[in-house]
Amino acid sequence: MSEHESGIQPSKPAVWNDPKYRALFFQVLLVLGLGYFFYTIIDNTLSNMEARGISTGFAFLGEAAGFGIGMSLIEYTEANTYGRTFWVGLLNTLLVSFLGIIFATVLGFIMGIARLSHNWLIAKIAMLYIEIFRNIPVLLQIFFWYFAVLAALPSVRQSIDLGAGVQFNNRGLYLPSPVPEDGFSIVVWLFVIGIVASFFLARWAHKRQDDTGQQFPIFWSTLGLVFGLPLLVFLAMGAPLSWDVPELKGFNFRGGVTIIPELLSLLLALTIYTGTYIAETVRAGINSVSHGQTEASLALGMSRGQTMRLIIVPQAMRVIIPPLTSQYLNLAKNSSLAVAVGYPDLVNVFMGTTLNQTGQAVEIVFMTMAVYLTMSLSISAFMNWYNKFMALVER
Amino acid sequence: MNKITSTIALTSILAFSANTANADTLDSIKSKGHIQCGVSTGLPGFSNADAAGNWQGLDVDMCRAVAAAVLGDASKVKYTPLTAKERFTALQSGEIDMLPRNTTWTLTRDASLGLNFAGVNYYDGQGFMVTKALGVKSALELDGAAVCIQAGTTTELNLADYFRLNGMQYKSVTYDTSDATVKGFEAGRCDMLTSDQSQLYALRIKLKDPDSAMVLPEVISKEPLGPVVRQGDDKWFNIVKWTLFAMVNAEEMGITSANADKMKSSDNPSVGRFMGGQGEKLGLGDDWAYNIVKQVGNYGESFERNVGMGSPLKISRGLNALWTNGGLQYAPPIR
Ligand SMILES: N[C@@H](CCC(=O)N[C@@H](CS)C(=O)NCC(=O)O)C(=O)O
């Protein structure tokens, strides 16, 4: 044996013994197997549905829906298709999720910071808020706000006039809607330009402070650019905007925009409930920043507010963002509880009425699940990007 | 049971079962010893559980009658409360054996859901309930009104049709349970509540102050309500269908729970056929029809006890009188 060994190079193993090709082979096999598995499932489902006389396919999306929906962000009438009810429901879901996430974040940050306040009363109020609302199931809170809000509000004929054309009663909050006239687009453009300009201004100011240590009144200048200038121009042009004011006609107010009680209560409940979790996340994040940072900052002469804003929060964010993402996902998914109080979200409209009128449960549940999956993945992707953005950049 | 779960159950049955039509419902009922019956979550007169948890009502009597015919014991029924939205998936997935749940017979439901309607146990029509304080006397005065409705019903469609036809507008608030619908109406969220008229009377007695609301005279649709079964099991379909026919025929022939034993010896040949000799053709025992009347009563008895003068609803027979009395209840002969 030994005389052999010396002369022979380790030969390349045969293809079927090469771990690289083996792995590839089994992966291909798995993909093929899975593909076949799903193909049979789908095929079997379809032929079983056919055998049982259940309609299949997506043709129903083109048929006229024939039912009304209480609130829609896009034009919708009974004559529109089932496909359109999908979009109406989807937009309503996105609306509460989006607003809910914003409000819950604001409330959560305020309460999380308040709970760490040195002021005894403020800290206790924040604690009470968190402990109470975190421990009541969110569905119960939705019901509570809905029926509490409804019961507390007067009927249409005794509507509360909040001035400036705003009406509040048990059919909702009625606001005048703006009707732009000639030239109003200039104001809108100025507003957009203002936002872009203040973004660059902020970068410039930041750099200048890094270089020279001089500060720039960035808050006031942004305010001026974004709101002040467009407002001045708007007034100078003679206010080219009129208002469609809601008026009592027959049983209800007509005109303007209506925020229905279902949306109000759902938003209230989701905000307050999710806010508690965000508050705790924020508190944990702030506590994770070592106290030495605060002391150092105060020693450098920064105020408590500045310390919080410039030193503590940016570092805390790294701890806060990952759990914050799951709270956002929870809120988006909890928004499907809308159905309990009749808010026309995707689950209520599409997986509810549309499913029931067409009977195409398999297709509709599939589409609805796909929407929630996409929504969750998008939120995750955005938050992962934001997390990277906020991560500590070592200099 | 919630709808996602039912749908997942349905999907997995459809996906994984071999390509055969339905299993034999009758056999499976005989082996499990009871009927699983889908009813409403609580609608006085039709299907409603009392404080002790006993289900009662016209639809519940349908379940009990089938149990009497199939198992010889009307009490061998288990109930699954279902909202309007959940009901069809529950039946399709096999979670329940039959669905007598004030369900309207329509072409779409009959022809595209894989279901069959076994008859009509209540002829109804859609109406409107308003608060008296609104001061409205006719549905045609309701332009611009806010309406509380339950999701997944024919009600939603009729409402849209009616308002469109009359050039009126409305704002709907669609709840998933009848409890929430009633509460919304009571809290003043809507000017009116719309549903099948019988159900309006039933929901009205659920209000804290029933006298504050009234039902408008207009009836805007045809709502033939009846028990539903899965398509593809004709034997079971026949049993449910003929159970209903037996109840109606019994009333026509004057057979009641009280006189059923005496009628057994009647020399009227029709009554004789009712009491025996026909069950085998349905795959049932000889005394199937006798058991129905003896244990549950005939159609008229069931009607009066649950929704008629013997009940808080006090609905008159109207369309649901026998054909011999100018109504629509008419059953093919048992022979
Ligand atoms: N007959 C109509 C309506 C049936 C229906 O669900 N009506 C409501 C009345 S508000 C009901 O009975 N709800 C009781 C429940 O959901 O348990 C249909 O079949 O679509």
Side-chain angles (χ1 to χ4, degrees):
Chain A
M1 284 300 218
S2 63
E3 64 264 56
H4 271 295
E5 274 178 357
S6 57
I8 286 181
Q9 298 280 319
S11 69
K12 265 188 127 186
V15 172
W16 54 88
N17 272 339
D18 187 330
K20 220 170 73 196
Y21 289 107
R22 268 199 177 192
L24 193 70
F25 173 73
F26 283 113
Q27 281 173 24
V28 169
L29 204 67
L30 184 71
V31 168
L32 283 180
L34 274 179
Y36 180 72
F37 176 71
F38 283 115
Y39 169 77
T40 8
I41 284 187
I42 292 170
D43 189 56
N44 208 20
T45 308
L46 288 179
S47 52
N48 269 329
M49 291 193 5
E50 170 117 31
R52 293 175 183 212
I54 303 176
S55 302
T56 54
F58 290 93
F60 72 95
L61 290 174
E63 287 165 24
F67 62 88
I69 301 179
M71 172 190 149
S72 172
L73 297 178
I74 48 178
E75 195 74 40
Y76 174 83
T77 70
E78 294 80 41
N80 284 122
T81 61
Y82 285 124
R84 192 139 179 117
T85 64
F86 171 79
W87 293 110
V88 172
L90 177 59
L91 286 174
N92 285 346
T93 289
L94 291 179
L95 180 74
V96 296
S97 305
F98 180 73
L99 293 179
I101 284 176
I102 291 180
F103 292 152
T105 308
V106 172
L107 182 68
F109 269 80
I110 292 176
M111 285 300 179
I113 293 173
R115 189 160 180 188
L116 292 170
S117 166
H118 293 290
N119 182 320
W120 184 87
L121 189 64
I122 291 181
K124 280 291 171 275
I125 289 177
M127 190 193 83
L128 266 182
Y129 154 73
I130 292 170
E131 291 307 329
I132 291 176
F133 290 102
R134 195 172 52 158
N135 292 311
I136 301 174
V138 63
L139 182 59
L140 236 80
Q141 296 195 32
I142 294 176
F143 274 127
F144 171 77
W145 289 117
Y146 186 53
F147 288 108
V149 165
L150 278 188
L153 291 172
S155 69
V156 178
R157 288 173 205 181
Q158 271 103 43
S159 180
I160 307 173
D161 191 342
L162 295 176
V166 181
Q167 295 283 345
F168 199 25
N169 57 55
N170 63 12
R171 301 290 158 79
L173 182 62
Y174 292 79
L175 308 170
S177 59
V179 184
E181 281 162 17
D182 281 353
F184 186 70
S185 56
I186 298 177
V187 180
V188 176
W189 278 113
L190 274 176
F191 180 73
V192 174
I193 293 171
I195 291 177
V196 176
S198 48
F199 177 74
F200 283 108
L201 185 70
R203 281 197 21 184
W204 169 81
H206 200 94
K207 194 164 169 334
R208 192 179 73 147
Q209 192 178 355
D210 283 352
D211 294 345
T212 66
Q214 279 174 302
Q215 292 197 356
F216 188 79
I218 192 69
F219 176 76
W220 293 109
S221 50
T222 304
L223 202 69
L225 271 173
V226 176
F227 296 104
L229 194 61
L231 191 70
L232 275 180
V233 174
F234 174 72
L235 293 177
M237 290 198 318
L241 191 69
S242 63
W243 296 91
D244 179 15
V245 180
E247 265 173 88
L248 186 58
K249 282 205 191 103
F251 298 107
N252 287 302
F253 282 90
R254 295 196 191 177
V257 283
T258 317
I259 302 173
I260 54 176
E262 290 74 29
L263 174 59
L264 279 180
S265 55
L266 188 65
L267 256 184
L268 212 56
L270 290 177
T271 301
I272 291 177
Y273 177 75
T274 316
T276 60
Y277 287 89
I278 296 181
E280 286 297 82
T281 306
V282 168
R283 181 171 71 120
I286 291 176
N287 277 341
S288 77
V289 179
S290 112
H291 192 60
Q293 299 277 332
T294 315
E295 284 167 354
S297 163
L298 293 179
L300 284 175
M302 293 204 186
S303 71
R304 278 210 168 265
Q306 279 177 323
T307 305
M308 192 51 116
R309 203 156 42 83
L310 300 171
I311 306 293
I312 313 282
V313 170
Q315 296 186 70
M317 281 317 267
R318 288 176 297 141
V319 177
I320 293 175
I321 290 173
L324 195 60
T325 311
S326 23
Q327 291 317 323
Y328 288 174
L329 295 180
N330 280 343
L331 191 144
K333 283 179 280 185
N334 282 339
S335 77
S336 66
L337 294 170
V339 66
V341 290
Y343 174 73
D345 77 327
L346 187 68
V347 171
N348 188 356
V349 170
F350 192 63
M351 210 171 83
T353 301
T354 301
L355 190 159
N356 222 264
Q357 303 301 358
T358 62
Q360 302 207 274
V362 176
E363 291 86 350
I364 288 176
V365 170
F366 176 79
M367 281 174 76
T368 310
M369 290 195 330
V371 163
Y372 278 93
L373 187 66
T374 314
M375 227 162 94
S376 296
L377 291 179
S378 320
I379 294 177
S380 287
F382 175 76
M383 292 303 280
N384 283 341
W385 168 81
Y386 187 57
N387 197 19
K388 279 222 188 73
F389 178 75
M390 288 301 284
L392 198 60
V393 186
E394 309 262 350
R395 272 192 271 214
Chain B
M1 176 136 135
N2 100 21
K3 201 161 75 262
I4 301 219
T5 341
S6 304
T7 309
I8 290 174
L10 172 68
T11 318
S12 38
I13 290 167
L14 293 169
F16 295 110
S17 67
N19 190 355
T20 52
N22 282 302
D24 191 318
T25 312
L26 181 61
D27 280 351
S28 87
I29 285 170
K30 280 185 178 155
S31 67
K32 69 185 169 190
H34 70 265
I35 290 176
Q36 195 71 41
C37 212
V39 291
S40 78
T41 59
L43 191 64
F46 287 83
S47 40
N48 199 21
D50 65 15
N54 300 314
W55 285 88
Q56 280 163 354
L58 192 72
D59 284 339
V60 167
D61 277 356
M62 248 344 276
C63 307
R64 301 183 67 238
V66 175
V70 175
L71 300 166
D73 184 348
S75 66
K76 294 215 164 119
V77 185
K78 288 192 180 158
Y79 299 95
T80 307
L82 298 164
T83 67
K85 276 170 27 177
E86 296 161 348
R87 56 188 156 172
F88 300 122
T89 336
L91 184 59
Q92 289 168 328
S93 68
E95 198 182 320
I96 55 174
D97 299 314
M98 57 185 284
L99 177 77
R101 189 207 163 281
N102 47 298
T103 296
T104 305
W105 187 350
T106 68
L107 183 141
T108 307
R109 290 174 176 178
D110 202 352
S112 71
L113 300 190
L115 305 175
N116 275 338
F117 281 79
V120 177
N121 70 338
Y122 191 100
Y123 288 96
D124 210 339
Q126 184 174 331
F128 299 105
M129 177 161 74
V130 294
T131 48
K132 283 188 182 148
L134 201 63
V136 165
K137 292 279 166 287
S138 152
L140 292 169
E141 299 167 39
L142 289 170
D143 190 14
V147 195
C148 286
I149 17 175
Q150 190 169 350
T153 56
T154 46
T155 316
E156 285 189 271
L157 305 178
N158 298 326
L159 175 73
D161 286 355
Y162 182 77
F163 273 71
R164 194 136 64 111
L165 198 64
N166 290 295
M168 305 192 295
Q169 288 185 342
Y170 70 98
K171 278 274 173 221
S172 58
V173 191
T174 315
Y175 300 95
D176 64 339
T177 63
S178 72
D179 271 351
T181 317
V182 173
K183 264 197 185 156
F185 174 69
E186 223 168 10
R189 175 63 181 93
C190 310
D191 298 301
M192 61 167 168
L193 188 160
T194 177
S195 181
D196 303 347
Q197 270 208 332
S198 65
Q199 287 141 46
L200 291 180
Y201 290 109
L203 295 178
R204 190 169 154 244
I205 59 176
K206 268 189 165 182
L207 296 178
K208 270 186 225 96
D209 177 15
D211 280 334
S212 67
M214 61 184 251
V215 175
L216 294 178
E218 281 87 357
V219 176
I220 65 164
S221 70
K222 291 191 287 187
E223 306 288 331
L225 312 178
V228 198
V229 295
R230 276 182 297 279
Q231 188 173 310
D233 186 349
D234 289 356
K235 195 155 69 162
W236 177 241
F237 178 42
N238 283 340
I239 290 171
V240 176
K241 184 163 58 182
W242 282 93
T243 299
L244 176 57
F245 289 160
M247 290 176 79
V248 176
N249 276 321
E251 185 184 6
E252 196 182 323
M253 294 187 281
I255 311 172
T256 65
S257 52
N259 71 10
D261 288 309
K262 218 169 65 211
M263 292 292 262
K264 259 190 158 169
S265 50
S266 157
D267 40 11
N268 178 337
S270 306
V271 175
R273 277 191 296 273
F274 187 91
M275 292 298 178
Q278 307 294 314
E280 206 190 327
K281 297 168 192 163
L282 288 169
L284 298 177
D286 208 36
D287 49 2
W288 67 284
Y290 163 80
N291 283 338
I292 295 174
V293 189
K294 178 73 192 163
Q295 297 183 22
V296 182
N298 66 33
Y299 180 77
E301 285 178 272
S302 173
F303 191 99
E304 295 302 343
R305 181 172 64 226
N306 294 307
V307 296
M309 295 309 155
S311 77
L313 269 71
K314 307 240 177 300
I315 299 176
S316 64
R317 285 293 287 270
L319 287 178
N320 293 293
L322 288 183
W323 63 290
T324 45
N325 298 332
L328 292 176
Q329 287 294 353
Y330 178 105
I334 295 180
R335 69 180 319 138

mmCIF file of all heavy atoms in Angstrom, chain B residues 132-161:
data_model
loop_
_atom_site.group_PDB
_atom_site.id
_atom_site.type_symbol
_atom_site.label_atom_id
_atom_site.label_comp_id
_atom_site.label_asym_id
_atom_site.label_seq_id
_atom_site.Cartn_x
_atom_site.Cartn_y
_atom_site.Cartn_z
ATOM 1 N N LYS B 132 -89.895 54.921 17.129
ATOM 2 C CA LYS B 132 -91.115 55.701 16.960
ATOM 3 C C LYS B 132 -90.803 57.192 16.932
ATOM 4 O O LYS B 132 -91.449 57.966 16.239
ATOM 5 C CB LYS B 132 -92.088 55.383 18.097
ATOM 6 C CG LYS B 132 -92.771 54.039 17.888
ATOM 7 C CD LYS B 132 -93.882 53.797 18.894
ATOM 8 C CE LYS B 132 -94.488 52.414 18.677
ATOM 9 N NZ LYS B 132 -94.951 51.815 19.933
ATOM 10 N N ALA B 133 -89.768 57.578 17.699
ATOM 11 C CA ALA B 133 -89.422 58.995 17.806
ATOM 12 C C ALA B 133 -89.057 59.604 16.447
ATOM 13 O O ALA B 133 -89.137 60.814 16.260
ATOM 14 C CB ALA B 133 -88.260 59.166 18.780
ATOM 15 N N LEU B 134 -88.673 58.771 15.505
ATOM 16 C CA LEU B 134 -88.276 59.270 14.187
ATOM 17 C C LEU B 134 -89.469 59.865 13.443
ATOM 18 O O LEU B 134 -89.308 60.723 12.572
ATOM 19 C CB LEU B 134 -87.666 58.110 13.381
ATOM 20 C CG LEU B 134 -86.756 58.455 12.227
ATOM 21 C CD1 LEU B 134 -85.525 59.184 12.728
ATOM 22 C CD2 LEU B 134 -86.337 57.193 11.495
ATOM 23 N N GLY B 135 -90.658 59.390 13.795
ATOM 24 C CA GLY B 135 -91.863 59.933 13.186
ATOM 25 C C GLY B 135 -92.044 59.574 11.729
ATOM 26 O O GLY B 135 -92.592 60.352 10.948
ATOM 27 N N VAL B 136 -91.580 58.402 11.335
ATOM 28 C CA VAL B 136 -91.697 57.985 9.945
ATOM 29 C C VAL B 136 -92.816 56.951 9.828
ATOM 30 O O VAL B 136 -92.965 56.085 10.680
ATOM 31 C CB VAL B 136 -90.350 57.375 9.478
ATOM 32 C CG1 VAL B 136 -90.528 56.605 8.197
ATOM 33 C CG2 VAL B 136 -89.322 58.468 9.301
ATOM 34 N N LYS B 137 -93.624 57.069 8.759
ATOM 35 C CA LYS B 137 -94.730 56.129 8.615
ATOM 36 C C LYS B 137 -94.499 55.141 7.479
ATOM 37 O O LYS B 137 -95.154 54.110 7.402
ATOM 38 C CB LYS B 137 -96.040 56.900 8.351
ATOM 39 C CG LYS B 137 -96.519 57.723 9.542
ATOM 40 C CD LYS B 137 -97.264 56.853 10.545
ATOM 41 C CE LYS B 137 -97.446 57.560 11.878
ATOM 42 N NZ LYS B 137 -96.185 57.664 12.665
ATOM 43 N N SER B 138 -93.581 55.483 6.562
ATOM 44 C CA SER B 138 -93.358 54.601 5.419
ATOM 45 C C SER B 138 -91.871 54.552 5.092
ATOM 46 O O SER B 138 -91.134 55.523 5.329
ATOM 47 C CB SER B 138 -94.130 55.138 4.212
ATOM 48 O OG SER B 138 -93.497 54.753 3.015
ATOM 49 N N ALA B 139 -91.440 53.441 4.525
ATOM 50 C CA ALA B 139 -90.027 53.279 4.176
ATOM 51 C C ALA B 139 -89.602 54.296 3.117
ATOM 52 O O ALA B 139 -88.428 54.635 3.002
ATOM 53 C CB ALA B 139 -89.761 51.871 3.676
ATOM 54 N N LEU B 140 -90.565 54.805 2.350
ATOM 55 C CA LEU B 140 -90.223 55.754 1.293
ATOM 56 C C LEU B 140 -89.799 57.114 1.839
ATOM 57 O O LEU B 140 -89.314 57.962 1.100
ATOM 58 C CB LEU B 140 -91.400 55.907 0.333
ATOM 59 C CG LEU B 140 -91.678 54.635 -0.487
ATOM 60 C CD1 LEU B 140 -93.000 54.743 -1.219
ATOM 61 C CD2 LEU B 140 -90.539 54.342 -1.457
ATOM 62 N N GLU B 141 -89.989 57.316 3.143
ATOM 63 C CA GLU B 141 -89.538 58.576 3.749
ATOM 64 C C GLU B 141 -88.115 58.460 4.276
ATOM 65 O O GLU B 141 -87.625 59.362 4.932
ATOM 66 C CB GLU B 141 -90.457 58.944 4.920
ATOM 67 C CG GLU B 141 -91.907 59.161 4.540
ATOM 68 C CD GLU B 141 -92.800 59.193 5.780
ATOM 69 O OE1 GLU B 141 -92.378 59.763 6.801
ATOM 70 O OE2 GLU B 141 -93.912 58.632 5.728
ATOM 71 N N LEU B 142 -87.450 57.351 4.006
ATOM 72 C CA LEU B 142 -86.167 57.089 4.666
ATOM 73 C C LEU B 142 -84.943 57.549 3.881
ATOM 74 O O LEU B 142 -83.827 57.130 4.173
ATOM 75 C CB LEU B 142 -86.042 55.599 4.987
ATOM 76 C CG LEU B 142 -86.956 55.102 6.106
ATOM 77 C CD1 LEU B 142 -86.941 53.585 6.188
ATOM 78 C CD2 LEU B 142 -86.531 55.699 7.436
ATOM 79 N N ASP B 143 -85.102 58.417 2.893
ATOM 80 C CA ASP B 143 -83.961 58.884 2.108
ATOM 81 C C ASP B 143 -82.881 59.476 3.017
ATOM 82 O O ASP B 143 -83.157 60.321 3.850
ATOM 83 C CB ASP B 143 -84.424 59.939 1.106
ATOM 84 C CG ASP B 143 -83.321 60.267 0.117
ATOM 85 O OD1 ASP B 143 -82.336 59.509 0.057
ATOM 86 O OD2 ASP B 143 -83.452 61.277 -0.598
ATOM 87 N N GLY B 144 -81.654 58.999 2.847
ATOM 88 C CA GLY B 144 -80.529 59.544 3.613
ATOM 89 C C GLY B 144 -80.342 58.909 4.976
ATOM 90 O O GLY B 144 -79.495 59.341 5.757
ATOM 91 N N ALA B 145 -81.117 57.869 5.263
ATOM 92 C CA ALA B 145 -81.060 57.283 6.594
ATOM 93 C C ALA B 145 -79.814 56.414 6.776
ATOM 94 O O ALA B 145 -79.238 55.916 5.814
ATOM 95 C CB ALA B 145 -82.303 56.437 6.836
ATOM 96 N N ALA B 146 -79.419 56.236 8.049
ATOM 97 C CA ALA B 146 -78.358 55.286 8.378
ATOM 98 C C ALA B 146 -79.031 53.976 8.786
ATOM 99 O O ALA B 146 -80.013 53.986 9.512
ATOM 100 C CB ALA B 146 -77.505 55.824 9.514
ATOM 101 N N VAL B 147 -78.497 52.860 8.282
ATOM 102 C CA VAL B 147 -79.151 51.568 8.451
ATOM 103 C C VAL B 147 -78.234 50.565 9.139
ATOM 104 O O VAL B 147 -77.097 50.376 8.709
ATOM 105 C CB VAL B 147 -79.524 50.958 7.079
ATOM 106 C CG1 VAL B 147 -80.511 49.835 7.257
ATOM 107 C CG2 VAL B 147 -80.062 52.008 6.142
ATOM 108 N N CYS B 148 -78.729 49.918 10.179
ATOM 109 C CA CYS B 148 -77.966 48.834 10.805
ATOM 110 C C CYS B 148 -78.377 47.508 10.167
ATOM 111 O O CYS B 148 -79.564 47.186 10.120
ATOM 112 C CB CYS B 148 -78.249 48.758 12.304
ATOM 113 S SG CYS B 148 -77.473 50.078 13.252
ATOM 114 N N ILE B 149 -77.397 46.725 9.702
ATOM 115 C CA ILE B 149 -77.695 45.422 9.130
ATOM 116 C C ILE B 149 -76.681 44.390 9.585
ATOM 117 O O ILE B 149 -75.582 44.728 10.027
ATOM 118 C CB ILE B 149 -77.628 45.365 7.576
ATOM 119 C CG1 ILE B 149 -76.879 46.564 7.014
ATOM 120 C CG2 ILE B 149 -78.968 45.174 6.966
ATOM 121 C CD1 ILE B 149 -76.701 46.454 5.525
ATOM 122 N N GLN B 150 -77.054 43.138 9.385
ATOM 123 C CA GLN B 150 -76.120 42.066 9.709
ATOM 124 C C GLN B 150 -75.428 41.595 8.438
ATOM 125 O O GLN B 150 -76.069 41.420 7.401
ATOM 126 C CB GLN B 150 -76.848 40.921 10.384
ATOM 127 C CG GLN B 150 -75.877 39.911 10.952
ATOM 128 C CD GLN B 150 -76.534 38.905 11.863
ATOM 129 O OE1 GLN B 150 -77.684 39.037 12.226
ATOM 130 N NE2 GLN B 150 -75.782 37.887 12.229
ATOM 131 N N ALA B 151 -74.106 41.395 8.555
ATOM 132 C CA ALA B 151 -73.302 41.028 7.382
ATOM 133 C C ALA B 151 -73.637 39.628 6.896
ATOM 134 O O ALA B 151 -73.991 38.750 7.671
ATOM 135 C CB ALA B 151 -71.826 41.101 7.732
ATOM 136 N N GLY B 152 -73.489 39.427 5.587
ATOM 137 C CA GLY B 152 -73.639 38.092 5.020
ATOM 138 C C GLY B 152 -75.068 37.650 4.859
ATOM 139 O O GLY B 152 -75.358 36.466 4.835
ATOM 140 N N THR B 153 -75.988 38.603 4.747
ATOM 141 C CA THR B 153 -77.399 38.250 4.593
ATOM 142 C C THR B 153 -77.925 38.732 3.244
ATOM 143 O O THR B 153 -77.331 39.607 2.617
ATOM 144 C CB THR B 153 -78.243 38.929 5.688
ATOM 145 O OG1 THR B 153 -77.998 40.330 5.625
ATOM 146 C CG2 THR B 153 -77.870 38.426 7.049
ATOM 147 N N THR B 154 -79.061 38.175 2.831
ATOM 148 C CA THR B 154 -79.731 38.679 1.643
ATOM 149 C C THR B 154 -80.211 40.104 1.906
ATOM 150 O O THR B 154 -80.381 40.894 0.989
ATOM 151 C CB THR B 154 -80.957 37.811 1.319
ATOM 152 O OG1 THR B 154 -81.673 37.587 2.530
ATOM 153 C CG2 THR B 154 -80.544 36.493 0.742
ATOM 154 N N THR B 155 -80.406 40.399 3.194
ATOM 155 C CA THR B 155 -80.844 41.714 3.620
ATOM 156 C C THR B 155 -79.997 42.838 3.023
ATOM 157 O O THR B 155 -80.504 43.861 2.587
ATOM 158 C CB THR B 155 -80.745 41.788 5.159
ATOM 159 O OG1 THR B 155 -81.266 40.587 5.705
ATOM 160 C CG2 THR B 155 -81.474 42.972 5.685
ATOM 161 N N GLU B 156 -78.683 42.626 3.021
ATOM 162 C CA GLU B 156 -77.761 43.636 2.508
ATOM 163 C C GLU B 156 -78.053 43.958 1.046
ATOM 164 O O GLU B 156 -77.954 45.098 0.618
ATOM 165 C CB GLU B 156 -76.327 43.123 2.593
ATOM 166 C CG GLU B 156 -75.739 43.107 3.969
ATOM 167 C CD GLU B 156 -74.254 42.784 3.915
ATOM 168 O OE1 GLU B 156 -73.934 41.588 3.957
ATOM 169 O OE2 GLU B 156 -73.440 43.703 3.823
ATOM 170 N N LEU B 157 -78.378 42.903 0.286
ATOM 171 C CA LEU B 157 -78.599 43.083 -1.147
ATOM 172 C C LEU B 157 -79.952 43.733 -1.426
ATOM 173 O O LEU B 157 -80.060 44.661 -2.230
ATOM 174 C CB LEU B 157 -78.531 41.736 -1.860
ATOM 175 C CG LEU B 157 -77.243 40.933 -1.633
ATOM 176 C CD1 LEU B 157 -77.311 39.606 -2.341
ATOM 177 C CD2 LEU B 157 -76.038 41.721 -2.101
ATOM 178 N N ASN B 158 -81.004 43.250 -0.737
ATOM 179 C CA ASN B 158 -82.333 43.811 -0.955
ATOM 180 C C ASN B 158 -82.377 45.287 -0.614
ATOM 181 O O ASN B 158 -83.023 46.075 -1.283
ATOM 182 C CB ASN B 158 -83.370 43.099 -0.082
ATOM 183 C CG ASN B 158 -83.468 41.638 -0.424
ATOM 184 O OD1 ASN B 158 -83.306 41.261 -1.573
ATOM 185 N ND2 ASN B 158 -83.711 40.809 0.568
ATOM 186 N N LEU B 159 -81.690 45.624 0.478
ATOM 187 C CA LEU B 159 -81.657 47.009 0.915
ATOM 188 C C LEU B 159 -81.102 47.899 -0.190
ATOM 189 O O LEU B 159 -81.682 48.928 -0.547
ATOM 190 C CB LEU B 159 -80.789 47.110 2.170
ATOM 191 C CG LEU B 159 -80.532 48.497 2.709
ATOM 192 C CD1 LEU B 159 -81.792 49.036 3.365
ATOM 193 C CD2 LEU B 159 -79.397 48.492 3.719
ATOM 194 N N ALA B 160 -79.950 47.470 -0.745
ATOM 195 C CA ALA B 160 -79.323 48.248 -1.799
ATOM 196 C C ALA B 160 -80.262 48.380 -2.999
ATOM 197 O O ALA B 160 -80.442 49.470 -3.550
ATOM 198 C CB ALA B 160 -78.009 47.596 -2.226
ATOM 199 N N ASP B 161 -80.907 47.269 -3.379
ATOM 200 C CA ASP B 161 -81.833 47.291 -4.518
ATOM 201 C C ASP B 161 -82.982 48.258 -4.278
ATOM 202 O O ASP B 161 -83.338 49.058 -5.134
ATOM 203 C CB ASP B 161 -82.438 45.893 -4.745
ATOM 204 C CG ASP B 161 -81.420 44.944 -5.354
ATOM 205 O OD1 ASP B 161 -80.310 45.417 -5.672
ATOM 206 O OD2 ASP B 161 -81.742 43.754 -5.509
#
